[in-house]
Amino acid sequence: MSGTRDALPPGQRTREDFPRFGLWPMASRFPRVLDHTRVELLGDVVRSPGLVETIDAAPRIEQVSDVHCVTTWSHRHARWSGVRFAEWYAAQVVPTLDPSRPPRTVVIRAQDGARTTMLLDDLLASDVLLADRLNGAPLTIAHGAPLRLVCPQHYAYKSAKHVSRIEFWHAAPRVRTVGFRFMDHPRARVAHEERGRWFPGTLLRVVYRPLIPITVAVFAKALRRAGLG
Ligand SMILES: Nc1nc2c(c(=O)[nH]1)N[C@H]1C(S)=C(S)[C@@H](COP(=O)(O)O)O[C@H]1N2
Ligand SMILES: [Mo]
């Protein structure tokens, strides 16, 4: 499933532009390393931790898919280029694993301090990518240079930009969330409207929606101030 369908998922509205977006503390934090797409491999099942290739480790593919922000805006038909997460995993992670302890939880960390936790099973879906290009050009800083995750079936807060480290865990580690804990659903599947934990997605819709214009402005201003956009 590519995440691109005719009807939008429940509670989403189309946005023609593709704004830089995130939690406010991230607005004025920028990646320092832009010259390579290697990531640091870590976690309790990884026997040889260290820097590994991503884009150069698997066949390059293109994918058109939608971006669904939890605050209810969706940007449709983004054209990503990169490698399938599952193929990168098979090439770079599986050979280093301890076969007696299968990984279950994946923690992805980013250069701006953002972090996200996903189930390995969700990341192995064929539409999950590690991407370094968007719409025919290298990723900009606004959209996640040098490397970002693309997981179209999950709210976009799981699609970490500026990825620097990927951790594979058998025993799920306790990872401090960036925002409030209720904002981070363990799976965050768009089709199930898993916007956050404890509160129904239909309630979070109306709470989050008014934050869109102000967040877009905060992120655009921080980019301009840094001389990046
Ligand atoms: N590293 C990092 N990744 C991130 C974020 C962030 O602030 N930092 N924001 C997330 C959120 S909430 C959204 S909606 C998308 C926005 O992607 P964009 O800035 O390319 O539009 O990135 C996600 N990935
Ligand atoms: Mo978002």
Side-chain angles (χ1 to χ4, degrees):
M1 203 163 87
S2 74
T4 297
R5 293 164 299 240
D6 288 326
L8 277 176
Q12 296 299 111
R13 295 174 181 175
T14 300
R15 197 177 163 113
E16 294 305 327
D17 67 347
F18 187 7
R20 176 174 183 252
F21 209 87
L23 286 170
W24 292 14
M26 274 52 230
S28 48
R29 299 187 195 166
F30 299 97
R32 295 162 310 279
V33 178
L34 295 167
D35 63 343
H36 68 77
T37 52
R38 293 187 290 272
V39 296
E40 199 184 346
L41 200 57
L42 227 80
D44 67 350
V45 295
V46 173
R47 283 188 296 198
S48 35
L51 273 188
V52 297
E53 293 293 340
T54 56
I55 299 294
D56 293 337
R60 180 178 283 278
I61 61 154
E62 271 206 354
Q63 169 175 296
V64 175
S65 52
D66 297 347
V67 177
H68 302 297
C69 176
V70 72
T71 62
T72 72
W73 63 265
S74 290
H75 178 73
R76 312 205 73 183
H77 313 305
R79 186 161 49 89
W80 303 102
S81 172
V83 297
R84 285 204 172 89
F85 187 94
E87 297 202 58
W88 168 76
Y89 173 75
Q92 298 287 59
V93 185
V94 170
T96 179
L97 291 180
D98 169 355
S100 67
R101 302 182 75 226
R104 296 188 289 220
T105 305
V106 181
V107 180
I108 297 163
R109 296 184 190 268
Q111 292 191 46
D112 60 355
R115 52 210 172 247
T116 165
T117 302
M118 297 271 292
L119 298 180
L120 176 61
D121 281 348
D122 284 345
L123 286 171
L124 296 181
S126 64
D127 60 356
V128 176
L129 309 186
L130 288 168
D132 66 340
R133 297 178 66 81
L134 168 63
N135 298 329
L139 276 183
T140 56
I141 285 179
H143 289 303
L147 183 77
R148 84 176 293 167
L149 187 72
V150 173
C151 41
Q153 296 183 58
H154 304 262
Y155 287 112
Y157 63 83
K158 297 291 191 184
S159 287
K161 302 185 279 187
H162 327 299
V163 173
S164 56
R165 186 203 282 180
I166 306 183
E167 306 171 2
F168 293 85
W169 296 88
H170 178 77
R174 215 166 149 70
V175 176
R176 203 163 46 88
T177 55
V178 178
F180 298 107
R181 267 199 86 213
F182 79 84
M183 303 168 95
D184 186 38
H185 190 283
R187 297 188 76 186
R189 289 170 298 174
V190 177
H192 298 266
E193 210 172 342
E194 293 167 340
R195 293 183 195 272
R197 55 180 112 202
W198 309 324
F199 303 105
T202 46
L203 170 69
L204 292 176
R205 278 185 204 177
V206 293
V207 174
Y208 285 157
R209 196 167 277 151
L211 301 173
I212 298 172
I214 180 155
T215 304
V216 171
V218 164
F219 272 72
K221 187 175 176 189
L223 197 67
R224 281 196 306 274
R225 276 214 176 139
L228 297 168

